[in-house]
Amino acid sequence: MMASTSNNSSPWTQPESTAPQSGLVVYNSMTKSKVPFVPREGNYVSWYGCGPTVYDASHLGHARNYMTFDIIRRIMEDYFNYDVNLVMNITDVDDKIIERARHTYLVKQYRAKATALSESTIADVNSAFKAFVESKLKVVISSDDEWKAFVAKTGDGKDPAITAENPKFTMHYDAARATFAAILRARQSLAEGKTAAVEAQALMDASQDVLALWLDKAHGAEVTDPRIFRDLAAYWEKDFFEDMDALNVRRPHVLTRVSEFVPEIVQFVERIIANGYAYEADGSVYFDVASFDGKNGHFYAKLEPKSKGNAELLADGEGSLGAKLSGKRSQSDFALWKASKPGEPAWPSPWGPGRPGWHIECSVMASEILGQQIDMHTGGIDLAFPHHDNELAQSEACFDNDQWINYFMHAGHLHIEGLKMSKSLKNFITIKEALAKFTARQIRIVFVLSRWDAPSYFKENSMHEAMAVEKTFDNFFSNTTALLRDYRVRAQDSDGKRHFLEAEHELLNELKETKAQVHAALKDSFDTPTAMRALQDIINRTNIYLQRGRAAIDPQIVEMIALYVTKIVRAFGLAAEAPAQLIGWGSSAAGSEGPADRESVLLPVATALSDFRDAVREIALAGGDKKAILALCDKLRDDDLPELGIVIDDHGDGRALVKFADPEELRREKAARQAVEDEKRARKEAAARAAEAKRQERLAKGRLAPQDMFKTPENLELYSEWDAAGIPTKDKAGEDLAKGKMKKLAKEYAAQEKLHNEYLKSLE
């Protein structure tokens, strides 16, 4: 079936299959719409996912991409029961890797020689600083004063007028400022005679990015050992998978590396040339967009037709070293094979020593493993053009077909407090930094609560929401597990009454409705936010049902709901891969150890109970009262057992439920409660102090006897006669005081009399 799409009339053919279909529809970047998902071979799904370019630490943008598609993969495998074959590549041959490896190596070599701070070292860094400023900031600096004047004019370097033209300006500007400050400190140290190696190392630490570019320009061509490039890639590949394991992301079924497929890449390029869609120039091979686009049913830029010809995106796709290549017929043409220059790894080819272009690697590795037509291809939306569009073009040029990929799916950008993540701009939070503050489950919940193909936001509010959702599920799993454990202990103790009544039927119908809602949501292009809302709703309804009390509920319906909720959260990757229990998250999703031996598990609990028994016996033998024993019971419940992850939940029916929880989480909750209590106590103490101060103030005022209060020096200036009690009757001129005035003075007298009596009483 042929479907016409909106992107420049590029056709898309709906795959057909005689096998029964799940009803799943997915948002397809090929059509910019939701379309039925139909694998070519029955239930088998061939899937290629773009892997990382391994040259630096993985950040939350990577987490967004790989966790998002891990969620989709799990839903496909664990919910829809597709037979998925996921292939993912590791880009270990790339301009970024080459430059980073050279930079790392050259700076390391330079540091090794800098055994002391010297004039020559400072001069080198200063030369590197000036070259960096001229290259990256487009400013020629010949003196310190010129740089200071530039900084005074530029400020923090975040002027939108500047950054709009050069998005990396602020990053480079900050690096230059740090280097200049380090140069000034180094000069001062040298003047003070501080020339130890630590001074030189401090200078290079602050100027590493600046120094690396300068060293690379001077000595980059001398770096020839291929192990330098491979070792860097291997280090960051290992680091990447450590992060993925920590995030509970399933490993791909097949992992490929560019460096292992170079012969196949050469053959692939040869075939494109033979089909008339590529040409050789100066040892490099370029894809000829003009000869491909619109010819023999082919279309270029199927995914992002509006970006066709975008010089900035095309240049970025060629890599920082691509600008040094020559011989392209058009700026839209892109490198399939790059002639290697000194300082770059090289492999033999019919066109001379070289290395693969960035885009060609995915086409070759995907096709070698999955064939000439693939069901699914996934990656971040930032890769759509030119990377994925170039993949499509060169693959369809090689196989001379018109649909290499049936379904292209792109994860939305991740924004950090409104800013798009960018490793090139150094605007990123590493996965390890995020995991130091939040759990893998909490991060995953953020993505589950967002549409996979829409922008996602990592900010305090979103994390608080994720933590609140996690707490809701935690409490539900904990309560139902404890309830069912108690129910099984007493399962044979029938009271002779039927318990599956109207309320249970109503809850069962709500469970059926929830299942239908979740199923519809997941069929609708993996709409996990809607599915999660449905799960939260059934949890809330079940919690209301549980408020009836154990005597008025049927735990069997609660178990049905808990098992279903568990099934879905596992399908989202929110629970452990192989949990020992049927309900709940299971053990830690990442890095969990095997079952501990019986003694290590039971000893802490046995010790707490033994201490409790000893204390109870001591009180009983001493003839103590029940209050002391109850206090020990409270201590066991509130202090001792929570430290072991055990919660004793007292119920109104006189029986407690035993629940298990993360001890650290219980400590945090206890600390939070204690903080509230401390605040209340502090407020109470402050109020008491204020009351006491007010009391002391009253007592101080009460020292003066009421009969003397109107005979103070200031009052002697106001009045001339007083009655027997000491209340004034005439003013200074000898005139009788008005009745209103007399009444007011009498009232003041009574108040002072009361204060004085309080004062006298305090002296007793």
Side-chain angles (χ1 to χ4, degrees):
M1 181 177 70
M2 184 76 73
S4 178
T5 71
S6 60
N7 48 343
N8 272 9
S9 300
S10 170
W12 177 76
T13 302
Q14 171 72 59
E16 296 181 356
S17 174
T18 58
Q21 298 302 309
S22 65
L24 172 66
V25 298
V26 300
Y27 183 84
N28 190 357
S29 297
M30 301 286 287
T31 65
K32 301 294 187 292
S33 63
K34 294 178 184 177
V35 294
F37 181 74
V38 181
R40 295 175 304 112
E41 301 179 48
N43 202 46
Y44 172 79
V45 178
S46 56
W47 179 349
Y48 182 80
C50 269
T53 300
V54 283
Y55 70 98
D56 205 343
S58 300
H59 54 61
L60 278 178
H62 296 116
R64 160 63 165 165
N65 180 53
Y66 296 109
M67 291 184 89
T68 291
F69 289 119
D70 182 68
I71 293 165
I72 289 177
R73 172 187 175 181
R74 289 169 181 272
I75 294 171
M76 294 184 73
E77 291 180 332
D78 301 347
Y79 185 82
F80 289 113
N81 297 314
Y82 283 109
D83 177 16
V84 173
N85 182 12
L86 174 59
V87 177
M88 189 185 81
N89 72 297
I90 292 290
T91 297
D92 61 349
V93 180
D94 178 80
D95 289 17
K96 295 184 180 72
I97 295 172
I98 294 169
E99 288 190 309
R100 178 64 62 86
R102 287 201 314 234
H103 292 177
T104 302
Y105 173 78
L106 291 170
V107 170
K108 182 178 179 181
Q109 294 296 105
Y110 187 86
R111 288 172 66 98
K113 296 175 183 177
T115 56
L117 183 64
S118 65
E119 288 280 5
S120 62
T121 303
I122 297 174
D124 283 350
V125 176
N126 194 50
S127 296
F129 164 73
K130 291 179 179 179
F132 183 87
V133 169
E134 182 175 355
S135 171
K136 301 298 184 181
L137 304 182
K138 310 304 178 186
V139 177
V140 177
I141 299 296
S142 59
S143 68
D144 291 356
D145 288 340
E146 288 185 4
W147 172 251
K148 291 176 182 177
F150 176 73
V151 170
K153 177 182 177 183
T154 309
D156 62 4
K158 297 179 181 178
D159 185 344
I162 300 175
T163 56
E165 184 176 344
N166 181 3
K168 297 183 181 180
F169 180 88
T170 304
M171 178 182 71
H172 295 319
Y173 179 65
D174 289 344
R177 293 174 72 187
T179 300
F180 183 75
I183 292 171
L184 295 183
R185 289 194 298 270
R187 289 173 181 166
Q188 181 65 31
S189 296
L190 191 62
E192 295 172 357
K194 299 176 182 177
T195 61
V198 66
E199 304 291 343
Q201 301 300 320
L203 173 61
M204 283 176 281
D205 286 342
S207 61
Q208 183 165 317
D209 290 346
V210 170
L211 188 61
L213 288 177
W214 183 73
L215 290 171
D216 190 55
K217 185 175 181 180
H219 305 289
E222 301 168 15
V223 181
T224 57
D225 187 347
R227 290 178 299 178
I228 293 171
F229 307 104
R230 179 58 207 152
D231 287 350
L232 179 89
Y235 174 86
W236 288 115
E237 178 186 328
K238 180 175 181 291
D239 187 78
F240 168 79
F241 278 112
E242 287 174 353
D243 285 343
M244 293 302 103
D245 290 344
L247 293 174
N248 195 28
V249 173
R250 285 178 179 169
R251 297 270 180 130
H253 297 104
V254 180
L255 180 69
T256 62
R257 299 181 184 88
V258 181
S259 60
E260 299 169 353
F261 280 76
V262 176
E264 290 81 4
I265 290 172
V266 170
Q267 295 170 10
F268 200 93
V269 173
E270 287 181 309
R271 189 169 174 179
I272 296 175
I273 294 174
N275 288 345
Y277 299 118
Y279 57 91
E280 184 270 339
D282 298 330
S284 296
V285 179
Y286 299 98
F287 187 84
D288 190 346
V289 172
S291 69
F292 174 83
D293 194 17
K295 308 292 173 48
N296 300 323
H298 294 306
F299 292 85
Y300 179 67
K302 286 183 175 182
L303 297 171
E304 297 291 337
K306 294 180 181 179
S307 296
K308 186 191 300 186
N310 185 314
E312 184 178 349
L313 292 176
L314 289 166
D316 189 58
E318 289 296 81
S320 56
L321 301 177
K324 300 177 182 178
L325 300 176
S326 61
K328 282 205 298 185
R329 296 174 184 171
S330 166
Q331 73 167 6
S332 295
D333 295 348
F334 54 91
L336 302 175
W337 182 263
K338 297 180 178 181
S340 291
K341 293 179 173 53
E344 299 176 5
W347 286 264
S349 81
W351 318 286
R355 55 193 176 87
W358 175 33
H359 317 295
I360 195 71
E361 62 180 64
C362 289
S363 292
V364 175
M365 290 185 287
S367 301
E368 282 291 321
I369 306 300
L370 299 174
Q372 296 185 14
Q373 191 175 47
I374 299 169
D375 292 315
M376 289 175 58
H377 192 322
T378 56
I381 187 61
D382 54 311
L383 297 179
F385 185 89
H387 184 54
H388 290 156
D389 266 322
N390 288 355
E391 280 187 51
L392 287 170
Q394 64 203 8
S395 299
E396 291 169 6
C398 177
F399 303 126
D400 221 1
N401 64 18
D402 56 10
Q403 192 159 299
W404 178 56
I405 299 295
N406 288 337
Y407 300 91
F408 233 123
M409 300 168 64
H410 291 98
H413 281 306
L414 177 69
H415 296 264
I416 303 294
E417 296 293 346
L419 299 174
K420 192 190 86 161
M421 290 282 286
S422 171
K423 187 184 288 188
S424 64
L425 295 177
K426 297 188 177 179
N427 168 43
F428 62 87
I429 299 171
T430 67
I431 290 173
K432 289 180 176 62
E433 289 170 341
L435 287 174
K437 189 173 182 181
F438 306 106
T439 67
R441 181 181 297 129
Q442 289 162 357
I443 296 171
R444 185 176 286 253
I445 288 174
V446 169
F447 300 142
V448 170
L449 294 176
S450 303
R451 289 284 308 196
W452 64 270
D453 53 351
S456 182
Y457 299 89
F458 188 85
K459 50 188 177 182
E460 287 297 321
N461 287 346
S462 59
M463 291 311 303
H464 289 160
E465 180 186 4
M467 293 165 76
V469 169
E470 181 186 41
K471 188 64 179 177
T472 296
F473 281 79
D474 268 338
N475 290 337
F476 175 69
F477 290 143
S478 178
N479 289 332
T480 54
T481 300
L483 174 69
L484 292 170
R485 186 187 305 111
D486 181 74
Y487 167 70
R488 290 190 179 95
V489 169
R490 298 171 173 82
Q492 309 307 315
D493 299 340
S494 174
D495 59 4
K497 298 178 181 179
R498 172 184 169 184
H499 290 277
F500 208 103
L501 301 168
E502 183 179 351
E504 286 70 32
H505 278 292
E506 182 179 342
L507 196 56
L508 180 60
N509 287 332
E510 289 174 344
L511 175 60
K512 291 177 182 178
E513 181 183 342
T514 298
K515 289 182 177 181
Q517 291 172 349
V518 170
H519 188 65
L522 297 185
K523 285 199 306 179
D524 184 16
S525 195
F526 312 105
D527 183 1
T528 55
T530 298
M532 283 293 281
R533 286 194 295 271
L535 294 182
Q536 289 174 271
D537 285 344
I538 191 64
I539 286 175
N540 291 336
R541 293 171 186 174
T542 307
N543 288 338
I544 292 171
Y545 172 75
L546 291 174
Q547 291 174 4
R548 297 160 59 95
R550 274 180 287 187
I553 65 170
D554 191 325
Q556 296 173 103
I557 182 63
V558 177
E559 183 173 26
M560 292 172 64
I561 293 169
L563 287 171
Y564 175 72
V565 173
T566 299
K567 171 187 173 182
I568 301 303
V569 297
R570 282 191 190 150
F572 294 166
L574 295 172
E577 284 286 347
Q581 60 203 76
L582 289 176
I583 295 173
W585 304 122
S587 58
S588 174
S592 59
E593 299 176 357
D597 63 275
R598 206 161 162 269
E599 181 177 336
S600 65
V601 172
L602 295 178
L603 183 59
V605 180
T607 301
L609 293 177
S610 177
D611 292 342
F612 172 74
R613 173 183 176 275
D614 292 344
V616 170
R617 290 184 73 252
E618 184 177 344
I619 292 173
L621 292 174
D625 61 22
K626 65 180 182 180
K627 289 184 178 179
I629 295 177
L630 290 175
L632 282 176
C633 292
D634 290 344
K635 178 178 179 296
L636 181 70
R637 178 195 63 194
D638 298 336
D639 298 329
D640 300 335
L641 293 180
E643 283 294 318
L644 305 174
I646 301 172
V647 178
I648 303 295
D649 192 359
D650 289 330
H651 280 237
D653 60 4
R655 297 184 356 243
L657 279 178
V658 178
K659 300 189 290 188
F660 295 92
D662 180 0
E664 186 58 38
E665 179 63 27
L666 294 176
R667 291 186 197 105
R668 285 195 292 267
E669 291 177 358
K670 183 178 179 181
R673 290 194 300 271
Q674 187 62 49
V676 171
E677 291 299 320
D678 290 345
E679 185 179 354
K680 287 182 180 178
R681 184 171 59 254
R683 286 200 301 268
K684 186 175 180 180
E685 291 173 354
R689 288 194 298 271
E692 177 61 20
K694 190 173 182 180
R695 191 181 78 87
Q696 292 297 331
E697 184 181 356
R698 285 175 58 85
L699 292 176
K701 289 180 180 179
R703 287 193 183 98
L704 183 65
Q707 58 269 26
D708 297 327
M709 66 180 293
F710 295 118
K711 294 182 179 180
T712 60
E714 57 269 24
N715 282 321
L716 290 175
E717 296 292 324
L718 301 175
Y719 309 110
S720 59
E721 287 188 19
W722 294 261
D723 64 13
I727 300 174
T729 57
K730 293 185 178 182
D731 62 16
K732 188 175 181 181
E735 299 291 332
D736 290 336
L737 296 176
K739 290 183 178 180
K741 179 68 174 178
M742 291 286 291
K743 187 175 182 180
K744 180 181 178 183
L745 293 175
K747 188 175 182 180
E748 291 178 6
Y749 182 93
Q752 184 63 25
E753 186 177 34
K754 183 178 180 181
L755 287 175
H756 188 63
N757 289 336
E758 289 179 14
Y759 170 73
L760 294 176
K761 189 174 182 180
S762 72
L763 298 178
E764 295 176 357

